[in-house]
Structure formats: C-alpha cells, structure tokens
Amino acid sequence: MKQSRQENVIYLVVWGLLFAAPLLSLYVRTVSDPNIEFNWTEVFMVWRHFAVYLLLFLVHNFLLAPLLVHRQKRVAYFVSVIAILGAFMVYKFHSRPVRVRDHMPPMEKPLPSPSTKAREIDVKKPPFRHFRPPFRRDMGRHEAPPPFFIGEHEIMAVVVLILMFAANLGIKNYIRSRDDRKRLVELEKRNLEQQLEYLRYQINPHFFMNTLNNIHALVEFNPVKAQEMIVELSKMMRFVLYEGNKQSVPLSRELDFIRHYVTLMKLRYTDKVSIKLDLPNETPERQIPPLILVTFIENAFKHGVSYQHESFIEVTVTVEDETLLFRCHNSKADHSNEEKGGVGLANVRKRLDLIYGERYRLCIKDKSDDYHVELSIPLV
C-alpha cells in the first residue's frame, strides 16, 4: 500500500532535522569559540551513525510495518523485528571502540637516572634492594578486549531503535485511522448516491412502462405468471428501498435481487437475445455491498442487446474459498439502448476501492464484438 504524501513529508522533516543537527551544533561552537575550527570529520562521524538508523528505519517502514498495520501479520512482524534487533546488537558490539590498557611489561627495569648512578658509587649507602618503577603511560600499550557482548552502549542503542520503530508504527496507525474515517464518510456518501441513482433508474417511466406492458400481456393468457411478475417487481423495489442504503446485505438477498432483475428483463426481449444466468443454489452466510453486482448486469443489458441481430448475455456467480467470483459476458450492440440511468463503472470502481482497498480484482476486456467483466471480492 502506498504511503500518503503527509506521511512522507513527516519522515523527510524529521530525518532532515536529525542530519542537520550536528552541522548546526558545530557551527554554533565555532561561532562562540574562535579557537574551534569547523571539522567535517566530526560531522561525517555522526552522520555515519545516523545512516545505520536511517537504513533500519527504511527497512521497517517499507517492509515490516505494513505487515502489522495493513496485513495484520503479527507473528511475521515480531519475528522480523527481533531478528533485526539481534543483528543490530551484534553490529554495535563489533563496532565498539577498543579500550587501551596501560601496564609495565614484566622483567623490564627502568633506565637509571644520572643521580642514581652517583648514589651507586657511594659505598656508604646501601644499594637499592627493591625498586618500584614509576607509572608511565608510554611504556607498553595493550589492547584490552571489550566485555562480552552487551553493555550500556548496546542497550541504549537498541532502546533508541525500538523507540524509532514504535514512532513509525504510531504515525502509520494515525494516518491509517484518519484515512479510514475519511473513507467511511465517503463510502456512506457513495452508498447514498448509488441508492438514489439506482432508485431513479428503477422508477424510470420507460422501465415501468415496458415491465407493466409485459405483465399486462401475461394477464390475458397466463394470469398466474403475471401475478408472479408483479410479486418479483415489488420485491425488487422493496430491496432497493430498504436494503440499498445499508453497508452490506446477505449474499443470498443480493443474488435473489439479481434473479428478479434478470427475470423481468427477459420479458422485454425476444428469443433473439440469449440470456443465461448461473447462480449458486446454496450460498454461505456472508455479507456483500448491495447493488454492486447488478450494475454490471445492467450495463450488459444497456449496451449488449441489439434488436437487429442475435445477442447474448451470460452471468455466472460462484463462491470459492470465501471469495466471490462474478463473471458477465455479453455481446455489443451497434447502438446502446436509449434508457439512461444506473451507476456508471467509474462509480463502481470507486465503491470497490473504498470498501476493499487492494483486496479485490476487477478485470474488464472490451473487445470489438463482446464485453467481458470478471470481479473477485472477499466475503465477510
């Protein structure tokens, strides 16, 4: 998932201030004390330590933090962070400055001074029996190995790294929660717009006129079928009025609405239009956004049916591994139907982005003779 511009700006400002701090500190010291010269070596030494933290921050920000914030993979995140902390501790241990221990090598005697030689000539004075050499820093230098593995320096470095990771997670969670609130408000607005748009289409005079004319024709030779069509039409309108404004509806209700819609649309066309609908007889108890599948079916009837030559519309819905697969394949008419209304594909894409983010897949193939839509969404 892409980072927002505000999040990138926050990171650039913070790291910019950190890398500018040694420059500003050294500049202030040179201004306040003329004896101090501006030494770039000191600045580069600090920048080298900052660069290690910056590298680990980038790894955490782009690879590890999304595992926890966006994908909810807690085990993978914490295992990766522990591995990085361990590697960082080993690095700090091996990069620790070597301490120098001063000592006098054994069996080494100091050179006698001139005054000492004069006293040795005097036989009245006893010779030196015991001599303790003076402590000298320049006599014998020995590199002492650092204490085993962990010390105060490593502990503080690891604490700073943990705080840096925690701050990164805090910023990401804040940005995500803010974006989720915006998405929720926009989603509610989109759902309301969809409900109103689809309601306008359903109460369109052309739609009602054609549907009622077909039902009226059935009354003469098949009154029972006409009654069933009236019931289906009322169910459709009831679904639009009472279910269309909800965040989600049961999958079975959405598929029932598609059945009613396709059944009514079949009454409007002759046998030149082949309409095939394949829906699962049994559906899991899962939720789905209302009126999101029927948009593609509506688009197929609107642009895929021709009165001059044979046309076809094929709709298939399957459920596999908690995922809904929707396919709609239709021919393309020379001129689309005159009826207008409904929700455009751009609005549907926007709804899918708001609801599922990157968890859905929509593939549209617009060819010269046919139109194919394939949608895959997770069921909740």
Side-chain angles (χ1 to χ4, degrees):
M1 182 170 290
K2 297 181 179 179
Q3 289 188 167
S4 64
R5 181 180 300 179
Q6 182 180 2
E7 186 176 356
N8 290 329
V9 170
I10 292 175
Y11 298 147
L12 287 175
V13 170
V14 172
W15 282 105
L17 291 176
L18 286 176
F19 276 88
L23 285 174
L24 182 61
S25 175
L26 187 57
Y27 173 76
V28 171
R29 283 188 292 165
T30 54
V31 171
S32 59
D33 190 352
N35 297 325
I36 300 178
E37 297 182 356
F38 195 91
N39 187 2
W40 279 101
T41 304
E42 181 180 347
V43 176
F44 290 145
M45 185 183 304
V46 178
W47 281 357
R48 185 184 65 181
H49 292 290
F50 283 178
V52 176
Y53 286 98
L54 176 59
L55 176 62
L56 295 178
F57 171 80
L58 294 176
V59 172
H60 182 269
N61 181 67
F62 291 105
L63 298 179
L64 302 186
L67 292 176
L68 183 63
V69 177
H70 301 296
R71 302 179 184 177
Q72 302 299 320
K73 294 183 178 180
R74 295 181 176 85
V75 176
Y77 170 79
F78 285 108
V79 170
S80 302
V81 168
I82 291 174
I84 286 183
L85 292 178
F88 178 71
M89 188 177 296
V90 172
Y91 164 77
K92 296 300 291 184
F93 170 72
H94 287 288
S95 62
R96 181 191 301 176
V98 179
R99 296 186 305 174
V100 178
R101 185 175 62 190
D102 302 320
H103 72 290
M104 173 66 69
M107 305 298 296
E108 183 178 348
K109 294 181 180 180
L111 296 176
S113 61
S115 58
T116 304
K117 291 182 179 181
R119 288 195 295 269
E120 288 178 351
I121 299 175
D122 190 357
V123 295
K124 295 182 180 180
K125 295 183 179 179
F128 289 98
R129 296 182 179 179
H130 301 285
F131 178 77
R132 186 176 182 180
F135 180 78
R136 297 181 61 186
R137 293 186 177 273
D138 57 346
M139 297 183 64
R141 299 179 66 85
H142 172 70
E143 292 185 352
F148 178 71
F149 200 69
I150 189 169
E152 181 181 357
H153 181 72
E154 288 77 20
I155 293 176
M156 292 303 300
V158 171
V159 169
V160 171
L161 187 62
I162 292 176
L163 293 177
M164 184 178 67
F165 287 172
N168 187 206
L169 288 177
I171 293 175
K172 282 190 174 297
N173 281 318
Y174 169 76
I175 297 294
R176 184 187 178 186
S177 61
R178 186 202 61 182
D179 292 342
D180 287 344
R181 289 192 296 268
K182 290 183 178 179
R183 288 176 59 188
L184 180 60
V185 172
E186 189 172 357
L187 179 58
E188 293 176 351
K189 179 181 178 181
R190 290 283 175 178
N191 284 340
L192 181 58
E193 290 177 355
Q194 161 134 5
Q195 180 195 9
L196 295 176
E197 288 290 334
Y198 205 87
L199 185 58
R200 293 190 191 103
Y201 174 69
Q202 295 294 347
I203 63 177
N204 188 291
H206 295 285
F207 177 83
F208 266 107
M209 181 182 64
N210 293 326
T211 303
L212 292 177
N213 284 339
N214 288 319
I215 293 176
H216 180 266
L218 285 175
V219 171
E220 297 181 1
F221 61 90
N222 195 344
V224 177
K225 188 66 174 179
Q227 292 177 3
E228 292 177 357
M229 295 300 100
I230 295 175
V231 171
E232 289 191 1
L233 180 60
S234 65
K235 288 181 179 178
M236 286 182 57
M237 299 307 299
R238 187 181 298 111
F239 182 88
V240 173
L241 290 173
Y242 297 106
E243 305 290 343
N245 61 340
K246 294 182 179 179
Q247 295 286 343
S248 61
V249 295
L251 176 60
S252 58
R253 300 288 300 276
E254 180 74 10
L255 297 183
D256 288 340
F257 179 82
I258 293 176
R259 289 189 184 96
H260 300 318
Y261 179 81
V262 173
T263 301
L264 288 177
M265 296 301 290
K266 284 182 179 180
L267 297 174
R268 300 178 51 184
Y269 303 106
T270 63
D271 295 337
K272 289 185 177 181
V273 181
S274 174
I275 303 175
K276 296 181 180 179
L277 180 64
D278 185 8
L279 303 179
N281 295 325
E282 297 182 0
T283 56
E285 296 181 359
R286 295 292 186 268
Q287 300 288 314
I288 187 174
L291 304 175
I292 203 166
L293 300 180
V294 76
T295 302
F296 300 104
I297 304 175
E298 172 197 345
N299 191 66
F301 279 103
K302 186 177 179 182
H303 301 286
V305 175
S306 174
Y307 295 102
Q308 286 76 28
H309 55 79
E310 294 184 354
S311 307
F312 69 89
I313 296 177
E314 298 174 355
V315 178
T316 304
V317 177
T318 58
V319 178
E320 299 177 2
D321 300 330
E322 303 298 325
T323 301
L324 184 139
L325 299 176
F326 171 83
R327 297 180 179 90
C328 183
H329 185 206
N330 61 272
S331 57
K332 294 181 68 174
D334 297 334
H335 301 283
S336 62
N337 295 340
E338 295 298 328
E339 294 181 3
K340 296 182 179 179
V343 182
L345 295 180
N347 198 5
V348 175
R349 287 181 181 272
K350 187 63 176 179
R351 283 191 71 201
L352 290 171
D353 290 336
L354 292 172
I355 297 172
Y356 297 106
E358 298 181 351
R359 296 179 298 158
Y360 80 95
R361 182 177 62 87
L362 176 61
C363 179
I364 299 178
K365 298 179 181 178
D366 189 359
K367 300 181 180 179
S368 59
D369 298 329
D370 62 348
Y371 194 85
H372 189 88
V373 176
E374 184 172 332
L375 174 65
S376 173
I377 57 176
L379 295 175
V380 296

